[in-house]
Amino acid sequence: MSRLAGPVRVGGGTAPSRVLFGPHETNLARGRALADRHVAYYRRRAEGGAGVIVTETASVHPSDWPYERAPLAASCGPGWTSIVDACRPHGTLVIASLGHAGGQGSSAYHQSALWAPSRVPDPVSRELPMEMEGPEVAAVVDGFRAAAALAVGSGVDGVEIDAGQYSLLRQFCSGLTNRRTDAYGDRGRLLREVLAVVREAIGDRILGLRLACDEGAPWGGITPETAPVPGGIDYLVPVRGSAFADARPDLRTEPGFNLDLCRTVSGRTLTVCQGSVVDPALAERALEFAGLVEMTRAQIADPDLVRHLRAGTAPRPCVLCNQNCRVRDPRNPIVSCIGEPGSGHETEDLVAGAGGGEVLVVGGGPAGLEAARVLALRGFDVELTERADRLGGMVRVAARLAGRDRLARLVDWLEAEVRRLGVRISTGVETRAGDGRPVIVATGSRPGPRDYAVEGGRVLDVVAVLDGATLPDGPVVVHDPLGDWTGAGVAELLAAARPVAIVSPDPVIATQVRDIAGVNARLQRAGVTLVKRSRLRVVRRDHVVVEDVLTGERRELPCGVVIHCGHRLPDAALSGTTVGDAVAPRTIHEAVLDGRRAAVAL
Ligand code: SF4
């Protein structure tokens, strides 16, 4: 059996597997309390075999309110008890994460100055915090003590102290943020004091520590050599990151980016390896030096990860897109996943009984595949037709963009599942009408209208280009009115072979992409000309005309072909239940969710 799926001792407890579900922001709280949604979310991972669940970090003091629905420890007692009651029948250890974000928090909610060791503004928010005096430091220490006592009094198996990337304790430990000349100029002192009072409060319950061991800033920050790894703890989660090093990179960064750091600091206590570990094979390798592996996104993508390991079946993959599981977003969403839209929505999960009879699903993109998968699971006799030669739809197209190839794993998994479940599949087939069977129409999208004049030049749709259309000679102009991955991705891809310019109406390229700085840096490194704050107006044989959106000033750019990356429109000519892009072209998440809803409703 997989070693990962086997039990392990953690402090005085035994976890049923070596897979840890780490603390992460969920936005599932009601007010500042852990809520029914948390209970259902964690119960689902415990059912699926998680060995240890570390609950969302709770602020130990009201001076910390880093995001709107951030739990406050003083309000979490009943929630911790309910989570323990939900998870204990499965043997899962429940650990309460306790922290304070300090100068990396937000003053928007408590409307007071941020607390920090020194007056050093956070490079991300750029807000200048106040320097904590003795009473504030004492209040934080006492906050950790009281929160730990409340947590164990509520039944949890232990607590995990957050001295990770976004924490006041890291700020005290780091030369980047601690410039004090008093006793706390001894940078490890506050962490030692907190661990001492917490140990006293929790007795022999499990004490874990999440510790920033590499800030990516060797000129003054914590390095693996200087990381203040203490004694007296039951496990250590070494993490990388600060404002200078991305702690949660996306699919451009190889999974397991943190393994070397974990290996370096392992050996002193039970080590939990983390850092984009989403593949079971990689996790098994990490057990050469780690006792457990944190696989948080892997269990957001598939709550049954450990069950799959035990059964020898393939879990739904996490493709590291960070698209729906990061909740610090202007839309303030709750945690979810592009491939498993039920994640975060366990209290409202779709329930469907067994079904029967024949169903035709037209279209083999993510919406059609998910519909076919769920229908087959329910017992329907499902036929799936796809006009292209291969299943996967727009996901396969998106996976051809620079650095996005990992996306294809999701449709690979869906395809394998529908085949395993016996769905009859035909590709290269244009289906024009149903034949009396219920029909789910998942026929995707087509190019949308162009809002510029074409006076003799050549324009190609981006999907055709990614599908392998031959480009005419000459420079490429990428028309990118959306600012998502598509325009920037195709520009980066083509820049290896020819001059490329990307035209955007925005002041920076790719405004809708989370990693906006990374995207712009890569485009510049690739030599792409960034034509910002501009609209494409006219396409001619050897040039285009662009117009400044503010001044109206026009200028010409040399051009052999324009690649159109504008909005797409639904392509649904059949009658039936329409899903995914055939309703309105959106993201993979909405496509999968639409497909699932339609399959459940039948
Ligand atoms: S949204 Fe993307 S990164 Fe997040 S769990 Fe799902 S597949 Fe993984």
Side-chain angles (χ1 to χ4, degrees):
M1 187 177 78
S2 146
R3 201 167 156 234
L4 203 55
V8 62
R9 291 287 293 173
V10 183
T14 300
S17 74
R18 293 172 182 268
V19 176
L20 182 142
F21 193 52
H24 56 284
E25 295 163 7
T26 66
N27 267 345
L28 296 174
R30 310 253 187 219
R32 298 202 69 186
L34 296 170
D36 54 331
R37 301 188 295 195
H38 281 101
V39 177
Y41 183 64
Y42 293 128
R43 176 193 288 121
R44 187 68 190 82
R45 275 74 203 170
E47 285 170 356
V52 179
I53 287 175
V54 187
T55 56
E56 185 166 1
T57 302
S59 300
V60 298
H61 190 269
S63 57
D64 182 41
W65 193 338
Y67 51 101
E68 185 189 352
R69 282 171 270 175
L72 177 67
S75 304
C76 287
W80 281 321
T81 301
S82 298
I83 292 166
V84 169
D85 289 345
C87 296
R88 187 149 289 157
H90 306 284
T92 306
L93 298 177
V94 176
I95 306 288
S97 173
L98 304 176
H100 191 300
Q104 292 169 287
S106 170
S107 58
Y109 305 106
H110 55 45
Q111 299 186 312
S112 301
L114 297 175
W115 288 12
S118 303
R119 291 188 190 90
V120 179
D122 178 57
V124 177
S125 72
R126 302 179 192 184
E127 182 168 345
L128 191 78
M130 61 173 265
E131 182 170 308
M132 294 167 70
E133 302 288 344
E136 284 100 24
V137 175
V140 165
V141 174
D142 194 56
F144 273 103
R145 182 203 56 73
L150 176 62
V152 295
S154 304
V156 301
D157 297 288
V159 300
E160 180 180 293
I161 302 304
D162 183 10
Q165 301 98 337
Y166 307 104
S167 70
L168 179 67
L169 294 178
R170 177 193 66 78
Q171 293 151 31
F172 267 85
C173 289
S174 171
L176 297 172
T177 40
N178 183 347
R179 298 182 184 161
R180 299 176 75 101
T181 53
D182 65 1
Y184 291 97
D186 167 3
R187 294 184 189 133
R189 177 175 174 145
L190 181 62
L191 177 60
R192 292 194 301 274
E193 288 182 1
V194 165
L195 291 173
V197 298
V198 167
R199 174 53 85 195
E200 198 178 328
I202 68 171
D204 60 1
R205 301 283 178 96
I206 298 165
L207 175 54
L209 175 64
R210 182 166 300 259
L211 181 66
C213 292
D214 186 357
E215 293 187 288
W219 58 88
I222 301 164
T223 65
E225 294 72 34
T226 62
V229 179
I233 55 174
D234 295 306
Y235 71 84
L236 173 73
V237 190
V239 297
R240 190 185 73 152
S242 66
F244 301 98
D246 192 356
R248 190 170 165 180
D250 65 13
L251 67 176
R252 301 283 308 213
T253 300
E254 272 301 299
F257 67 92
N258 207 27
L259 256 58
D260 284 345
L261 174 65
C262 294
R263 189 194 304 270
T264 302
V265 299
S266 67
R268 285 173 261 190
T269 184
L270 184 71
T271 302
V272 180
C273 182
Q274 66 86 242
S276 296
V277 184
V278 291
D279 301 325
L282 183 64
E284 295 279 358
R285 287 207 297 281
L287 291 180
E288 289 167 14
F289 53 88
L292 293 95
V293 184
E294 181 171 294
M295 301 182 75
T296 304
R297 280 178 284 181
Q299 291 173 94
I300 298 174
D302 196 329
D304 288 318
L305 175 74
V306 178
R307 266 191 193 153
H308 282 292
L309 295 175
R310 290 181 178 141
T313 50
R316 182 188 293 101
C318 166
V319 296
L320 292 173
C321 63
N322 282 345
Q323 211 163 293
N324 286 73
C325 55
R326 291 192 88 156
V327 301
R328 295 244 200 153
D329 176 304
R331 298 166 300 171
N332 211 20
I334 66 171
V335 67
S336 196
C337 174
I338 61 164
E340 177 41 286
S343 284
H345 294 266
E346 285 78 4
T347 53
E348 55 191 87
D349 218 347
L350 304 168
V351 179
E358 294 186 41
V359 184
L360 174 64
V361 178
V362 183
L369 284 166
E370 177 68 3
R373 184 185 76 85
V374 175
L375 286 165
L377 280 172
R378 291 185 60 203
F380 285 93
D381 176 6
V382 186
E383 181 180 1
L384 172 65
T385 63
E386 163 60 46
R387 68 182 151 215
D389 293 335
R390 202 173 168 195
L391 299 177
M394 289 295 281
V395 177
R396 294 229 182 267
V397 176
R400 289 184 200 124
L401 291 167
R404 309 283 290 170
D405 53 306
R406 201 178 165 90
L407 289 176
R409 295 184 183 208
L410 178 57
V411 283
D412 287 344
W413 181 84
L414 284 167
E415 180 175 345
E417 283 296 290
V418 295
R419 290 188 189 283
R420 183 180 69 79
L421 293 165
V423 172
R424 287 173 286 121
I425 297 168
S426 316
T427 54
V429 172
E430 190 75 56
T431 304
R432 300 199 184 280
D435 51 8
R437 292 175 285 179
V439 181
I440 291 185
V441 181
T443 42
S445 64
R446 58 186 168 81
R450 297 168 184 170
D451 58 353
Y452 45 86
V454 180
E455 300 175 356
R458 182 106 186 260
V459 179
L460 287 173
D461 183 67
V462 65
V463 174
V465 173
L466 292 170
D467 267 340
T470 306
L471 295 180
D473 290 337
V476 169
V477 170
V478 175
H479 169 55
D480 180 25
L482 303 187
D484 62 10
W485 280 106
T486 315
V490 77
E492 187 182 351
L493 189 70
L494 297 177
R498 58 176 70 214
V500 176
I502 181 167
V503 179
S504 166
D506 299 321
V508 285
I509 306 298
T511 51
Q512 305 308 305
V513 174
R514 189 182 295 271
D515 182 25
I516 188 169
V519 169
N520 278 270
R522 284 195 296 275
L523 288 173
Q524 288 201 306
R525 279 199 296 271
V528 175
T529 303
L530 310 183
V531 185
K532 305 168 200 170
R533 233 181 48 202
S534 299
R535 285 210 177 85
L536 181 61
R537 286 303 185 207
V538 187
V539 180
R540 299 202 175 104
R541 189 182 56 78
D542 59 358
H543 70 274
V544 296
V545 178
V546 297
E547 182 181 272
D548 187 292
V549 297
L550 297 181
T551 66
E553 187 183 333
R554 292 193 169 202
R555 64 185 172 116
E556 295 180 358
L557 300 173
C559 178
V561 60
V562 167
I563 299 180
H564 179 87
C565 301
H567 277 295
R568 299 178 66 79
L569 292 174
D571 187 7
L574 281 169
S575 60
T577 304
T578 309
V579 296
D581 284 4
V583 176
R586 291 154 292 163
T587 72
I588 299 171
H589 175 252
E590 286 85 11
V592 172
L593 180 56
D594 265 14
R596 184 176 298 188
R597 281 178 173 157
V600 166
L602 206 66

